[in-house]
Amino acid sequence: NRQAAFDELERANLRTALIGDISRLVSAMQAAQRGYLLTGATDLRVQYDAGQVALRTQLDALEAGSVRQSRREAIAEIKAAVDDWHTAVSIPLFRQVDTEGPGGAGLSDVVLRDGLPRLKRIESLVAQLSASLRDQSSTQVTVALASIENGMLV
């Protein structure tokens, strides 16, 4: 029983780390996208693309460890929002930079009009999932610690 409590603490820590990684990846992708649009620097495009792959990997890992249907649905919603941002905003903007060069007319308008609302939605969905995980983890950690404590007293 004590080992199960330790295992639950480890899973809670892993979920917390994964959601933190997801938030950081979205921010890093946003910064790389902005930088690429302004400068056309290929390393920034590579960073964005690598972030896209890493984000999908982290979301898949979080989903694989989720037993609750509501959590899997929340993760699927985040994935869909990220795909929407990538397909509807990033790809067309990257194509424009590739053909017309960085800092082209209308790039900032598209980012503000189309990109920013999508990013805010992603951030909101991640924050909601994070709060849900934090609440659940807090409860599970409390139970696990009580179990460990009780086991140590016996």
Side-chain angles (χ1 to χ4, degrees):
N1 195 12
R2 216 164 86 194
Q3 185 58 46
F6 280 118
D7 290 346
E8 184 51 46
L9 287 172
E10 188 174 314
R11 282 191 297 276
N13 287 335
L14 178 60
R15 284 189 299 266
T16 301
L18 283 172
I19 202 73
D21 288 347
I22 289 166
S23 292
R24 283 187 291 281
L25 283 167
V26 170
S27 294
M29 287 172 63
Q30 180 184 14
Q33 179 194 60
R34 253 193 335 264
Y36 182 73
L37 298 178
L38 292 172
T39 67
T42 3
D43 63 316
L44 293 169
R45 175 64 191 269
V46 169
Q47 286 177 21
Y48 174 90
D49 291 339
Q52 180 84 359
V53 171
L55 181 59
R56 177 59 67 162
T57 301
Q58 295 292 53
L59 287 167
D60 287 346
L62 189 59
E63 187 175 41
S66 297
V67 291
R68 293 183 178 187
Q69 179 65 24
S70 61
R71 184 169 306 137
R72 287 193 306 273
E73 289 169 359
I75 294 166
E77 192 173 2
I78 293 170
K79 286 180 178 181
V82 169
D83 289 345
D84 177 55
W85 172 49
H86 179 69
T87 305
V89 179
S90 297
I91 290 175
L93 288 173
F94 291 159
R95 284 188 186 135
Q96 185 176 342
V97 169
D98 293 343
T99 57
E100 300 173 16
L107 287 176
S108 61
D109 292 340
V110 173
V111 169
L112 291 174
R113 184 189 67 234
D114 298 335
L116 197 56
R118 284 176 169 89
L119 280 167
K120 293 294 181 195
R121 175 161 165 64
I122 293 166
E123 291 168 355
S124 173
L125 292 170
V126 170
Q128 289 171 23
L129 180 60
S130 178
S132 168
L133 288 171
R134 195 172 37 251
D135 291 347
Q136 180 194 359
S137 292
S138 176
T139 301
Q140 289 173 331
V141 166
T142 301
V143 169
L145 287 174
S147 175
I148 291 168
E149 207 172 89
N150 289 338
M152 289 181 176
L153 293 175
V154 173

